[in-house]
Amino acid sequence: MIEDMAAVEQIDEIAGEGVDLLAVGPSDLSRSLGVSGQCDHPRLVAAIDRVREAVKKSAGARLALPLNHAAFPRNAAQLRALGAGYTNCAPTPEARLLHSLQTQLSEARKLLG
């Protein structure tokens, strides 16, 4: 899991033989870069590009990027163009939390109602 600049800086070693998947955590990576909330910030894009290049040079690793993630919102076609060989399409933690809060609010309204 590539979640900070220390991992990006060592990506060639991390992507060595025997590694099947290099997953980028865009929320943590953007926070470590100081660009949280700026999904197209050049530093974030450059860090992800660096991981992409290491995957290309690796002995068979695949790139994993989340689908439509708030910190790096890309659709399936865009991820494919970036070279992603794996994606997670489950709702993000933020989406699950929002859904939970909406459900709780609805239930509370029924009780008051």
Side-chain angles (χ1 to χ4, degrees):
M1 191 75 180
I2 309 304
E3 298 179 303
D4 59 29
M5 276 311 291
V8 173
E9 290 167 359
Q10 298 175 20
I11 196 62
D12 290 322
E13 293 83 11
I14 293 169
E17 192 169 331
V19 173
D20 296 321
L21 191 69
L22 290 170
V24 175
S27 293
D28 290 333
L29 183 56
S30 66
R31 276 191 293 275
S32 80
L33 292 167
V35 297
S36 186
Q38 300 175 58
C39 60
D40 291 313
H41 194 282
R43 288 175 39 201
L44 176 61
V45 173
I48 292 172
D49 284 344
R50 178 68 189 91
V51 175
R52 291 176 52 223
E53 290 302 315
V55 168
K56 287 180 188 176
K57 294 186 293 185
S58 75
R62 291 183 302 157
L63 175 65
L65 286 165
L67 181 68
N68 293 320
H69 191 283
F72 193 69
R74 303 300 189 266
N75 64 33
Q78 292 167 317
L79 292 180
R80 184 174 182 186
L82 289 171
Y86 178 86
T87 190
N88 179 349
C89 56
T92 63
E94 297 87 357
R96 290 192 309 263
L97 176 61
L98 178 60
H99 177 73
S100 174
L101 292 172
Q102 288 170 332
T103 300
Q104 291 176 52
L105 180 59
S106 176
E107 292 299 316
R109 285 182 175 153
K110 288 178 189 175
L111 291 174
L112 295 173

